[in-house]
Amino acid sequence: MGVAGSALPLAMNLLFIADIVGKPGREAAEAELRAARQDGTADFVIANCENAAGGFGVTPELARGLLDLGVDVLTSGNHIWDKREAYEYLEREQRLLRPANYPPGNPGRGSTVACAGGLRIAVINLQGRVFMAATDCPFRAADRLIRDLSGEADLIFVDFHAEATAEKVAFGWYVDGRVTAVVGTHTHVQTADARILPEGTAYLTDAGMTGAVDGVIGVRKELAIDRFLKQTPNRFEVATENVRCMGVRLEVDDASGRVTHIVPFDHPLK
């Protein structure tokens, strides 16, 4: 997590923006990034973009737009495969990640290393297996990636995209002391368990959602209710009421390279 002898800044402020859902989420993310630039509270920005295109996937144009706004690394999850036009972009854009534990042969990469303030920051994207599509083991994939990144990064941030709370909690304990932070995504509901684990890894089960919360996890509520009542397919549309940006801020100590503060946030779009 910190590399001995590396020149760390006084403090590294890392901003993670939770799952961006549709146009409302993109607008809220832009407002959050603008505010962070103005007050200097974000030295490095990670955002999950897997729902940026109408709630399902991301297009190259939308990914480029988020990167141009100041996002340093984009993570994703199971919906990254929803837009086939993104496949070729995944191959050539190192700042757009898909979960690393999808089987070999899929386009893209599951980790990257970027630099900010003299630090080498590794970002790893993994996906859970409980109530999710079949993938390779995220725990063993983490072992491999952490080993491969040894000596290559000063900080390691993990976006663990998973449905089951138990799987996320178990994963946090599994990598405690071996990565800087584990932040969960996918459920779109922010949890109240932000903490620093005993061996120094900052942990949050789910960072929430950047989008309209007066819906059902980003979808218009009447459409979601109709699906539950009738149990037949309908076309989901992105909700637009009460738009908020959720996520988490991490402050990293200059001497140890460990997180000293982990603070979830939930800001309305003004």
Side-chain angles (χ1 to χ4, degrees):
M1 299 193 301
V3 174
S6 61
L8 295 173
L10 180 62
M12 165 62 67
N13 293 304
L14 191 152
L15 173 68
F16 179 77
I17 296 176
D19 301 43
I20 298 169
V21 182
K23 185 177 180 180
R26 300 195 305 269
E27 292 175 346
E30 180 177 2
E32 188 71 28
L33 287 165
R34 186 168 57 247
R37 283 196 297 269
Q38 289 175 350
D39 61 23
T41 57
D43 300 309
F44 193 82
V45 180
I46 305 165
N48 188 297
C49 69
E50 74 143 9
N51 302 120
F56 300 94
V58 67
T59 64
E61 179 183 9
L62 293 179
R64 283 193 294 267
L66 290 167
L67 292 169
D68 289 344
L69 286 173
V71 177
D72 293 288
V73 176
L74 293 166
T75 56
S76 64
N78 53 302
H79 284 298
I80 191 62
W81 313 112
D82 289 359
K83 306 295 184 189
R84 292 198 66 87
E85 59 265 41
Y87 287 20
E88 189 273 336
Y89 189 69
L90 276 165
E91 280 292 319
R92 58 187 172 86
E93 178 51 79
Q94 296 187 12
R95 295 172 294 174
L96 174 61
L97 303 182
R98 50 83 166 169
N101 55 315
Y102 271 88
N106 284 298
R109 60 194 54 77
S111 66
T112 192
V113 178
C115 293
L119 284 171
R120 299 166 299 172
I121 303 169
V123 181
I124 295 174
N125 198 178
L126 291 166
Q127 184 171 306
R129 296 192 292 182
V130 180
F131 309 127
M132 302 283 285
T135 57
D136 295 338
C137 177
F139 292 73
R140 292 186 174 88
D143 288 338
R144 173 178 54 80
L145 288 164
I146 294 168
R147 181 176 62 249
D148 291 346
L149 289 166
S150 177
E152 301 297 322
D154 302 298
L155 309 175
I156 300 176
F157 178 97
V158 181
D159 176 343
F160 191 51
H161 195 79
E163 182 78 27
T165 298
E167 187 178 21
K168 292 179 180 180
V169 173
F171 181 84
W173 286 116
Y174 186 69
V175 298
D176 183 23
R178 296 193 287 155
V179 304
T180 306
V182 174
V183 175
T185 57
H186 181 65
T187 70
H188 293 194
V189 178
Q190 190 175 91
T191 56
D193 61 341
R195 62 184 295 195
I196 298 176
L197 298 175
E199 298 301 319
T201 293
Y203 175 83
L204 178 65
T205 295
D206 202 284
M209 175 188 72
T210 298
V213 299
D214 282 359
V216 177
I217 60 171
V219 173
R220 284 177 53 195
K221 55 183 175 292
E222 59 270 25
L223 299 177
I225 292 168
D226 188 70
R227 174 82 68 91
F228 281 113
L229 286 172
K230 296 178 179 177
Q231 290 299 301
T232 50
N234 60 3
R235 182 179 177 83
F236 279 166
E237 296 175 11
V238 172
T240 59
E241 298 175 335
N242 192 5
V243 180
R244 309 184 73 85
C245 182
M246 299 182 194
V248 63
R249 293 179 183 273
L250 305 172
E251 184 174 310
V252 183
D253 177 70
D254 60 343
S256 66
R258 292 188 172 187
V259 175
T260 55
H261 295 90
I262 174 170
V263 182
F265 63 85
D266 177 358
H267 297 156
L269 176 62
K270 298 177 180 178

